[in-house]
Amino acid sequence: RSGETVRAAAAGDVVYAGSSAGKVTALDVNSGERLWTATEGAVSPVQVAGGALFLVSDENRLVRLDAATGAVVWGVELPYFTKDKVKKQQQIHVPYGPLLAGGKLFVASSDGLLRVYDPVAGSLIGQAEIPGGAATDPVVAGGTLYVVGRNGQLHAFR
């Protein structure tokens, strides 16, 4: 479809493809057979680990799906907009991630926070400030998490 973005990840013999049009599908690499389809879209790359699939949905939720069935295990609402009108416009917040690293799930946001979630339960377990808000997906290298802020600065977290 025009304007649709597809985000994919592979694990074993399965490719998981999510799109901003409201679906995530698991496909068998060898046969091309569709294994399941979930009604959660993915606005960022999906992360696969330990029988789970993590994504930020097209409904602005951090979601964990069962990688074998596509069933929703949990979903957490992410900040979507500033409730107070700023210059008579509501500011929309953009989430970046998720990134699974060190047994934790990280989501950076243009609202100025890096949020850390428990991947098993989906509970918020920490957060750190990103001055000016995030502008990129977080990445990890050498035990340090990096994210670029909207002001162009590179921020590093340990």
Side-chain angles (χ1 to χ4, degrees), residues 69 75 99:
T69 66
L99 173 69

Side-chain angles (χ1 to χ4, degrees), residues 85-139:
K85 291 188 178 184
V86 179
K87 296 183 182 179
K88 298 190 179 190
Q89 293 183 356
Q90 291 181 334
Q91 182 178 2
I92 302 296
H93 301 302
V94 179
Y96 296 97
L99 173 69
L100 185 62
K104 298 174 184 168
L105 204 52
F106 297 88
V107 178
S109 177
S110 64
D111 76 347
L113 290 176
L114 173 67
R115 292 175 176 84
V116 186
Y117 294 89
D118 176 342
V120 175
S123 54
L124 181 68
I125 57 175
Q127 61 186 29
E129 187 177 342
I130 302 170
T136 63
D137 286 328
V139 296

Side-chain angles (χ1 to χ4, degrees), residues 29-98:
V29 172
N30 299 311
S31 68
E33 177 186 356
R34 181 174 32 181
L35 303 173
W36 54 258
T37 299
T39 57
E40 298 284 344
V43 297
S44 62
V46 295
Q47 297 281 303
V48 184
L53 185 69
F54 301 98
L55 59 101
V56 173
S57 79
D58 56 346
E59 295 179 349
N60 213 54
R61 295 182 339 135
L62 176 61
V63 177
R64 176 182 173 180
L65 301 178
D66 182 300
T69 66
V72 175
V73 176
W74 53 255
V76 177
E77 298 295 322
L78 296 171
Y80 184 55
F81 63 90
T82 302
K83 294 180 183 179
D84 299 328
K85 291 188 178 184
V86 179
K87 296 183 182 179
K88 298 190 179 190
Q89 293 183 356
Q90 291 181 334
Q91 182 178 2
I92 302 296
H93 301 302
V94 179
Y96 296 97

Side-chain angles (χ1 to χ4, degrees), residues 12 48-49 85 87 121 132 134 141 147 152-154 157:
V48 184
K85 291 188 178 184
K87 296 183 182 179
V147 64
Q153 280 189 313
L154 179 63
F157 300 90

